[in-house]
Amino acid sequence: MSAELPRAPQPRASVVRYKAALRKAIRRNRREPEIDFLNITAMLDLMTIILVFLLKSVGSSAASIPQSKDLTLPKSVMQAEPSQEGVVVIVSKTQILVGDDPTPIVVLPSREQLAQSGVDARYKRSGPNDHYIVPLANALSHARETDKAVRAAKGLDPSSSEAIVVADATTPYRLLCEVLFTLGQSEFGKHHLMVLSGGSKP
């Protein structure tokens, strides 16, 4: 029998090669971390954009208000574009409305009484000679809060709101003064009177 030749000793791996192979194996077996949480920041950004869009869509144009026997706008020779910003206050021959709410805020008496003492004393704060209309002020306070949020979303000054007064052409001066006074007391610092352009010059 022939004797087997002794095997040559295999060279040992150096520490450097061992560490390199270990790092290579770690990189090969490493897994990407799974996302097991919800990204709230992106959702908040999306909700903010939607909220701003909805607030901006609240303000509607007052130029599209239909006329009727109960509401006929006065005519003016001015050719300026109507204001699109503000809370709409409608003063017809028989009632006062605020915004898109079809429910009358105040039911108006006869034209003779309106010319003398304005709306009924039961709607006033302190008697028939007062100019403050309580139901109108209550409705304006709610509209003011909404308009304040809209103005803040649009980057406008929220310290004061604007109102668009849509009054009938035959509205007595006394009633118009009471409406404007109540608007001023309700933090509406600027008023726009809606009229029809194209009137003849005197």
Side-chain angles (χ1 to χ4, degrees), residues 20-201:
L22 180 61
R23 287 195 297 268
K24 185 177 181 181
I26 291 175
R27 286 195 300 268
R28 184 171 59 250
N29 297 327
R30 184 170 55 188
R31 297 172 56 189
E32 293 294 332
E34 296 182 359
I35 300 177
D36 55 354
F37 59 90
L38 189 61
N39 192 349
I40 301 297
T41 304
M43 293 186 63
L44 289 177
D45 293 341
L46 180 61
M47 293 301 296
T48 302
I49 295 174
I50 295 175
L51 178 61
V52 172
F53 174 77
L54 292 177
L55 289 176
K56 286 187 176 182
S57 64
V58 170
S60 59
S61 173
S64 60
I65 295 178
Q67 299 187 69
S68 62
K69 293 181 179 180
D70 193 42
L71 178 63
T72 303
L73 296 180
K75 294 183 178 181
S76 173
V77 297
M78 296 182 62
Q79 301 296 327
E81 291 294 327
S83 174
Q84 303 294 327
E85 304 291 339
V87 176
V88 179
V89 178
I90 301 176
V91 183
S92 69
K93 291 183 176 69
T94 59
Q95 59 191 1
I96 298 177
L97 306 173
V98 174
D100 298 329
D101 189 359
T103 305
I105 302 299
V106 175
V107 178
L108 300 177
S110 63
R111 278 296 195 247
E112 292 76 13
Q113 179 179 340
L114 286 174
Q116 294 178 1
S117 59
V119 301
D120 289 339
R122 57 193 174 101
Y123 296 127
K124 303 291 186 64
R125 181 171 50 185
S126 58
N129 294 327
D130 195 358
H131 281 63
Y132 189 84
I133 306 174
V134 176
L136 177 59
N138 294 336
L140 289 174
S141 65
H142 297 292
R144 165 73 176 134
E145 294 300 322
T146 303
D147 186 67
K148 187 186 299 184
V150 172
R151 295 179 68 84
K154 293 182 178 181
L156 302 175
D157 183 14
S159 62
S160 178
S161 295
E162 299 183 19
I164 301 176
V165 180
V166 184
D168 185 77
T170 62
T171 300
Y173 179 73
R174 167 68 188 233
L175 175 59
L176 188 59
C177 288
E178 291 181 351
V179 171
L180 295 180
F181 178 81
T182 307
L183 283 169
Q185 294 293 307
S186 303
E187 298 183 353
F188 286 83
K190 192 173 183 180
H191 315 136
H192 305 276
L193 183 61
M194 183 64 65
V195 296
L196 292 177
S197 61
S200 58
K201 295 183 179 180

